[in-house]
Amino acid sequence: MIGEGELRELKRKAREVRVLTLDALGHLGVGHVGGALSVVEVLTILYYRHMRVDPSAPRMAGRDKLVLSKGHAGPALYSVLADKGFFPREWLRTLNQGGTSLPSHCDMRRTPGIDMTTGSLGQGVSASIGLALGNRLNGDAGTVFLIIGDGESNEGQVWEGAMCAAHYRLGNLIGFMDYNHMQIDGYTRDIMDIEAPEDKWAAFGWFAQRVDGHDFRALDAAIERAKAETSRPSMIVMDTVKGKGAYFAEDNVGNHNMKVDEAMAAEAIRRLMGEAL
Amino acid sequence: MGAAVATEPREMRVVYAETLVRLAENSADIVILEADLMKASATGIFQKRFPERAFNIGVAEANMVGIAAGLSASGKIPFAASFTCFASRRAYDQFFISCNYAGLNVKLVGTDPGIAAEYNGGTHMCFEDLGLMRNVPGLVVFEPCDPVSLAALVERAAAHRGCTYLRLHRKPIRPIYPDGEAFELGRGKVLRDGGDVTLVATGAIMVPEALAAAERLASDGVSAAVIDMHTVKPIDRDLVLEYARKTRGFVSCENHQIVNGLGSAMAEVLCEGCPRPLRRVGIRDEFGEVGTLDYLKARYRLTAGVIADEAHAVLKG
Ligand SMILES: Cc1ncc(C[n+]2csc(CCOP(=O)(O)OP(=O)(O)O)c2C)c(N)n1
């Protein structure tokens, strides 16, 4: 159970991650605001409480790994990795500039701390299964974490992986579905309805849970329960808000890949800093 | 070309969508499919006008292309679109088997080709689709360079009995052709005549670069012809051979790998029909990366300056 002090610290970190992400996107002028901001809490709790990683040895054997299969949320993960010290914070403002080490989609060849290249939706699911099988073969005790989108879950590959990971009883694989109820063209219920995702994952043989993806204590409890499941993979469906924390993005179906100028970013940051933790 | 050329750039995606609406007004068989990129393709206007004939399948390109095959087998004329990388690489087997091998009539559309993917970066930057598609037996593969040719060629594609692949630039592009100009699939267009060297280009990024290169060459005293080879397959063999006789060599210009795209197609025609020097401007065995269009043009050497240099190299022999 997360104590009061740690809860405050996690909230402070999440706010910091949002600030860094908004700053980078605002500096560039455009980006995947919505899907980056909806996964901030899960990234924060993973990197600041659960994952065993070493910023000075990003490829350390035995580490826990993350596959951010909705690779367009890269900017949020970059903020976490920079804050953890995987690379200098100054890199954040190079997002998407020619020659950058921080491209819009996660790239394991360019960015220290990125465990898998993603961006073509659905593919990270299979890659995470390969990593989990690899850990088993290597006698590596690390856990593989996976984050997918709800729109991403339209891809057949997601469900090929769902069947496969259950077949191989991958207890070392813990997935999260960022159920922010939006994809690019609109609400998931209008474009391709996926309700109720937790039932689908359970039917495929996964240990499935559904929690509030912005509630650290709920997330933490779900992760602990998932870790206790050693003979089947876990899926934690997180109800989230696309664009969470940016006044101009929340409740805006145009928030997938949107223009953000420096003034908008600065105002969003000002409001975030003004909120009580 | 009698009529005046419009000067205002037009969003290519809007031209695409408006053309489909126009076609659909005259044919109940025109249907569209999207994979959660309807906003990007601007086909919302089609959905509004013909809601029962627009299918947004969600982020599921292989499924979308397979569904298009079934719609085609039911007598419909489906236009199915996604980003170039997903339309080609992701759904290739479905397009190959269910649509082409099955002898159906599916119009596949890949948007943001090559470096036009810009900020979406390497995963979305497709330099391979012309090659993939050129390998599909009987498939018509085309990449219009401006709004006028786009509208005309989409109409041609709809009328063509068989599958087509359209490489679609989405962004605003200044017209090169006058309104009403006629186009045929498989028939290249001579944009500028010349007697020394021939620049053959395809697409909305490279045709303007080739035209600018011809200007530079003119100031160097070199007379360069420029051909808009909007259809890469079947390539306009007669036109290539005509300019093989008229000029001393070629530069191919494509926003694509130099392997198996426009330059390769020209090399095949030239070697078999009338050998002439050819230098290829395009991506040289590399992956894409993130950046602005200008950065990427320079990074991958897709500029008028490079085309002009290559033309000089052709002439030096
Ligand atoms: C295979 C593939 N198809 C299409 C895209 C383009 N695309 C990027 S994000 C996205 C929507 C994804 O929706 P979701 O997974 O819900 O992401 P979120 O809303 O959380 O950002 C699409 C269609 C892609 N990156 N990969």
Side-chain angles (χ1 to χ4, degrees), chain A residues 70 72 119 121 149-152 155 180 182 242 256, chain B residues 61 86:
Chain A
K70 40 170 281 186
H72 56 279
L121 294 169
D150 45 16
E152 177 177 18
E155 289 285 358
N180 57 30
M182 284 186 200
K242 193 161 172 172
H256 183 80
Chain B
E61 298 76 13
F86 308 125

Side-chain angles (χ1 to χ4, degrees), chain A:
Chain A
M1 173 76 170
I2 298 175
E4 282 306 320
E6 188 181 356
L7 183 63
R8 242 188 105 69
E9 186 54 22
L10 286 169
K11 286 183 176 173
R12 211 182 55 74
K13 279 292 180 200
R15 183 170 71 185
E16 175 80 359
V17 170
R18 284 201 168 86
V19 166
L20 290 173
T21 306
L22 283 163
D23 179 75
L25 292 169
H27 185 67
L28 180 70
V30 63
H32 293 108
V33 177
L37 294 180
S38 57
V39 292
V40 168
E41 276 74 18
V42 68
L43 292 175
T44 302
I45 200 165
L46 285 175
Y47 279 90
Y48 295 94
R49 183 169 160 90
H50 287 280
M51 283 174 68
R52 208 170 75 82
V53 291
D54 180 353
S56 66
R59 303 260 188 227
M60 172 181 75
R63 74 185 186 280
D64 294 326
K65 294 173 186 155
L66 173 71
V67 178
L68 182 57
S69 191
K70 40 170 281 186
H72 56 279
L77 179 51
Y78 303 153
S79 299
V80 172
L81 294 175
D83 183 66
K84 294 281 288 187
F86 281 87
F87 48 79
R89 273 179 177 236
E90 293 70 55
W91 284 22
L92 292 175
R93 280 190 163 208
T94 70
L95 181 72
N96 282 354
Q97 312 284 351
T100 187
S101 297
L102 304 180
S104 58
H105 298 82
C106 297
D107 188 329
M108 66 193 290
R109 293 170 79 180
R110 288 180 191 273
T111 315
I114 295 294
D115 294 312
M116 187 62 213
T117 293
T118 53
S120 183
L121 294 169
Q123 298 196 17
V125 177
S126 305
S128 72
I129 293 171
L131 286 168
L133 287 169
N135 278 356
R136 183 183 280 175
L137 286 172
N138 294 337
D140 184 323
T143 298
V144 178
F145 295 98
L146 163 71
I147 300 176
I148 62 173
D150 45 16
E152 177 177 18
S153 301
N154 301 163
E155 289 285 358
Q157 187 169 4
V158 171
W159 304 101
E160 294 172 29
M163 190 165 352
C164 177
H167 175 80
Y168 283 108
R169 303 187 161 279
L170 293 177
N172 56 351
L173 175 60
I174 298 178
F176 300 86
M177 182 179 130
D178 180 23
Y179 197 12
N180 57 30
H181 301 258
M182 284 186 200
Q183 44 198 113
I184 293 185
D185 283 338
Y187 292 97
T188 51
R189 67 166 180 274
D190 298 326
I191 304 300
M192 191 53 60
D193 195 2
I194 193 173
E195 251 324 295
E198 67 281 19
D199 293 347
K200 293 182 171 67
W201 287 97
F204 273 93
W206 290 49
F207 173 54
Q209 309 176 69
R210 184 160 172 175
V211 301
D212 176 345
H214 299 303
D215 178 338
F216 281 116
R217 283 189 169 141
L219 272 174
D220 186 59
I223 293 168
E224 290 299 349
R225 284 192 292 269
K227 282 179 169 170
E229 285 285 330
T230 53
S231 60
R232 55 178 173 163
S234 287
M235 179 55 68
I236 300 170
V237 174
M238 309 181 298
D239 281 298
T240 56
V241 174
K242 193 161 172 172
K244 175 80 173 174
Y247 73 93
F248 55 82
E250 276 189 36
D251 297 323
N252 172 355
V253 272
N255 71 10
H256 183 80
N257 188 8
M258 69 191 306
K259 289 203 163 63
V260 191
D261 61 30
E262 289 197 315
M264 284 160 77
E267 174 60 15
I269 289 168
R270 194 189 64 77
R271 293 194 195 186
L272 275 173
M273 297 310 289
E275 278 170 19
L277 281 178

Side-chain angles (χ1 to χ4, degrees), chain B residues 109-124:
Chain B
V109 181
T111 66
D112 280 1
I115 59 172
E118 293 186 271
Y119 282 161
N120 270 326
T123 49
H124 290 50

Side-chain angles (χ1 to χ4, degrees), chain B residues 17-298:
Chain B
E18 288 175 353
T19 305
L20 291 182
V21 169
R22 217 170 38 246
L23 287 167
E25 279 164 353
N26 295 314
S27 161
D29 289 335
I30 302 284
V31 300
I32 65 163
L33 295 99
E34 293 282 352
D36 198 26
L37 287 170
M38 184 174 267
K39 282 182 191 164
S41 308
T43 49
I45 55 166
F46 187 108
Q47 186 184 42
K48 235 191 187 136
R49 183 83 169 71
F50 302 106
E52 71 293 349
R53 287 200 255 160
F55 304 94
N56 194 334
I57 301 302
V59 195
E61 298 76 13
N63 193 32
M64 172 180 74
V65 172
I67 292 169
L71 283 163
S72 169
S74 312
K76 302 299 161 205
I77 304 173
F79 279 77
S82 180
F83 287 151
T84 302
C85 48
F86 308 125
S88 65
R89 298 194 301 237
R90 185 77 176 218
Y92 190 63
D93 193 44
Q94 284 74 14
F95 190 50
F96 193 98
I97 298 295
S98 298
C99 302
N100 284 273
Y101 180 70
L104 293 170
N105 188 24
V106 172
K107 319 301 177 184
L108 185 61
V109 181
T111 66
D112 280 1
I115 59 172
E118 293 186 271
Y119 282 161
N120 270 326
T123 49
H124 290 50
M125 204 159 282
C126 187
F127 298 140
E128 306 76 32
D129 53 318
L130 294 179
L132 287 166
M133 295 304 170
R134 234 162 60 77
N135 262 319
V136 180
L139 181 63
V140 172
V141 181
F142 67 110
E143 181 178 14
C145 68
D146 88 328
V148 177
S149 55
L150 171 62
L153 289 166
V154 167
E155 285 184 22
R156 289 292 177 174
H160 173 78
R161 181 72 199 105
C163 293
T164 63
Y165 176 70
L166 161 61
R167 205 173 194 236
L168 176 64
H169 197 88
R170 293 194 295 134
K171 310 247 163 71
I173 292 291
R174 203 178 296 284
I176 289 176
Y177 295 101
D179 282 333
E181 178 83 6
F183 292 84
E184 270 184 65
L185 290 165
R187 279 291 165 84
K189 282 273 187 189
V190 179
L191 283 169
R192 174 179 176 132
D193 212 351
D196 294 325
V197 63
T198 308
L199 314 178
V200 180
T202 187
I205 292 178
M206 297 314 285
V207 170
E209 293 293 330
L211 286 168
E215 285 295 322
R216 283 187 193 214
L217 288 164
S219 64
D220 299 341
V222 172
S223 162
V226 177
I227 292 175
D228 167 14
M229 195 62 85
H230 51 72
T231 307
V232 173
K233 182 185 181 176
I235 191 157
D236 191 342
R237 210 184 135 76
D238 293 345
L239 189 61
V240 173
L241 293 178
E242 181 188 333
Y243 276 81
R245 294 187 196 99
K246 266 176 92 162
T247 63
R248 286 155 57 199
F250 292 86
V251 179
S252 61
C253 316
E254 59 196 310
N255 167 25
H256 186 270
Q257 288 282 0
I258 55 170
V259 174
N260 211 4
L262 174 66
S264 293
M266 286 178 52
E268 290 156 17
V269 171
L270 290 170
C271 284
E272 288 177 356
C274 181
R276 282 285 181 275
L278 160 71
R279 295 182 72 93
R280 293 169 297 165
V281 171
I283 312 298
R284 307 194 83 86
D285 206 25
E286 286 194 273
F287 293 110
E289 66 176 53
V290 77
T292 60
L293 199 61
D294 284 338
Y295 169 82
L296 294 165
K297 274 187 189 176

